[in-house]
Amino acid sequence: MEKTRKYLWGILYGLALTIFTVYLLLDTFVIARVYQVVPRENGPSVTESENKNEEDNGTEKDGENNAETEEKSENEERDGTTAENGEAKITENSYEDDNISITVTEYRENGTTVYVADVRLSSAEYLKTAFANGAYGKNVTEKTSEIAKNNGAILAINGDYYGSRENGFVLRNGTLYRNSAANDREALVVYEDGSFETITETAVSAESLAAAGAEQIFSFGPSLVVEGEISITEDEEVGKAQASNPRTAIGIVGKLHYLFVVSDGRTDESEGLSLYELAEFMRSLGAVTAYNLDGGGSSTMYFNGKIINNPTTNGRTVSERNVSDIVYIGY
């Protein structure tokens, strides 16, 4: 009887341990937790009900019942928004209005296809970020293209996938959501005047950056270019991953002049870039500061209403990965 009792306790203990381990894994990587709903600046508002959210996304915008010109309808179909002042001039690889100028160019570097969006703005207010499902939280994800469309983005790239980590500064559109620093991590700060600065998170508080006028803080890295010089070594990698990968980066050339860069990778047609190759490329484009965002299967560029690169996770299927956030240009 005593042996049977010990045997049963052993089974129960093992079962409890297995259930707890599975729960921890699900909580870390799967279970979505919304900490704060963020009203979208452009597009339908977000509610707690998923059904209501889908219903809102499918409703017509105010004023669409009025007659619209054929040209305006076509522009809205292609870029998801309209120019604030005057009509936008849109081609397959460009967008231009009174405040925003974007030209997308495809490059071939180190056996890799790289897409570069050269962006010039009249004001930093058009450089924005957005969360998946309009909510700050853990494991809250959505495709880059869906987040972009829901926020009226003209151009968008994936962000830093903040929701997959427990620490690292998260400040978006002037609001501080997470102030816990990640050890030895470089973050990119975008200030209200549109200027860039890279910092080490443990060297400064998120609150002081917000007080100094930070509008966005991205916590991924590393920095690629600082003051016009490559700031990484040839053997540096994110988490010691394989050297050649799809990549996403953002850089600044001059005042209100930015570079949004995405490379394909992990396919026979496009090998991918190492971090050092990406840094070299960003510097060759004139970037004074350049910063590495989440890459791999997350690397996605959306422009004028469609995905223009070939996002892939495993090298076999070209499809978008759900992400936590985007960086975008729009009204």
Side-chain angles (χ1 to χ4, degrees):
M1 179 66 93
E2 186 67 26
K3 287 184 178 180
T4 302
R5 205 177 275 127
K6 286 182 180 179
Y7 179 70
L8 287 173
W9 275 113
I11 292 176
L12 290 172
Y13 177 78
L15 182 60
L17 186 61
T18 300
I19 292 172
F20 180 70
T21 302
V22 170
Y23 171 76
L24 284 180
L25 290 171
L26 289 173
D27 185 56
T28 302
F29 301 109
V30 178
I31 299 173
R33 299 184 184 278
V34 174
Y35 301 140
Q36 184 174 341
V37 174
V38 183
R40 287 178 174 136
E41 294 184 29
N42 193 7
S45 59
V46 178
T47 67
E48 292 182 6
S49 164
E50 184 178 345
N51 291 334
K52 182 65 166 62
N53 183 56
E54 290 176 357
E55 182 181 319
D56 288 345
N57 285 341
T59 58
E60 295 182 336
K61 298 176 184 176
D62 291 339
E64 283 187 346
N65 289 328
N66 298 328
E68 295 181 339
T69 65
E70 195 172 312
E71 181 180 359
K72 182 177 179 183
S73 296
E74 183 181 347
N75 285 345
E76 288 179 345
E77 249 180 48
R78 294 183 66 183
D79 63 28
T81 189
T82 53
E84 207 168 60
N85 300 309
E87 292 295 333
K89 298 176 182 177
I90 301 172
T91 70
E92 186 177 352
N93 62 355
S94 68
Y95 175 99
E96 185 175 3
D97 63 32
D98 292 344
N99 300 303
I100 297 169
S101 174
I102 303 170
T103 302
V104 175
T105 304
E106 184 178 319
Y107 291 81
R108 190 72 181 168
E109 295 286 328
N110 299 294
T112 301
T113 303
V114 187
Y115 304 84
V116 177
D118 187 284
V119 180
R120 296 173 188 264
L121 306 176
S122 66
S123 168
E125 66 184 292
Y126 307 119
L127 172 58
K128 301 181 180 185
T129 56
F131 291 136
N133 295 314
Y136 167 69
K138 181 179 180 180
N139 296 323
V140 179
T141 62
E142 198 175 11
K143 290 181 173 64
T144 293
S145 60
E146 292 171 352
I147 309 173
K149 288 174 183 175
N150 288 336
N151 287 275
I154 301 166
L155 168 73
I157 54 176
N158 60 287
D160 66 5
Y161 215 145
Y162 77 89
S164 65
R165 300 181 302 278
E166 296 290 342
N167 54 29
F169 296 160
V170 180
L171 186 148
R172 302 296 160 85
N173 300 324
T175 299
L176 180 60
Y177 295 94
R178 187 166 68 197
N179 62 3
S180 57
N183 289 333
D184 301 321
R185 185 178 298 159
E186 292 177 307
L188 175 67
V189 184
V190 182
Y191 290 98
E192 57 191 353
D193 65 354
S195 61
F196 282 14
E197 180 187 21
T198 55
I199 55 97
T200 301
E201 292 189 20
T202 51
V204 61
S205 71
E207 288 84 358
S208 66
L209 292 169
E215 280 291 303
Q216 323 287 347
I217 300 179
F218 302 108
S219 179
F220 196 87
S223 298
L224 301 170
V225 179
V226 176
E227 295 183 353
E229 298 297 329
I230 293 175
S231 56
I232 60 172
T233 61
E234 291 191 52
D235 59 354
E236 193 162 349
E237 260 306 328
V238 178
K240 304 303 178 185
Q242 65 188 66
S244 296
N245 273 303
R247 303 286 183 181
T248 301
I250 188 170
I252 187 169
V253 177
K255 185 175 181 180
L256 300 176
H257 183 186
Y258 306 100
L259 299 169
F260 285 44
V261 176
V262 166
S263 76
D264 287 338
R266 300 177 180 171
T267 67
D268 293 338
E269 295 77 19
S270 191
E271 180 180 347
L273 300 175
S274 70
L275 283 177
Y276 192 80
E277 288 170 341
L278 179 61
E280 284 186 312
F281 181 65
M282 296 295 287
R283 186 178 65 171
S284 75
L285 295 174
V288 176
T289 301
Y291 186 80
N292 181 60
L293 293 168
D294 185 28
S298 300
S299 291
T300 307
M301 181 177 285
Y302 169 99
F303 181 57
N304 279 345
K306 63 182 180 180
I307 297 299
I308 63 172
N309 72 308
N310 298 288
T312 177
T313 299
N314 54 23
R316 293 187 296 273
T317 304
V318 175
S319 62
E320 285 187 73
R321 171 190 285 177
N322 284 9
V323 297
S324 295
D325 56 313
I326 64 169
V327 189
Y328 75 97
I329 302 296
Y331 288 99

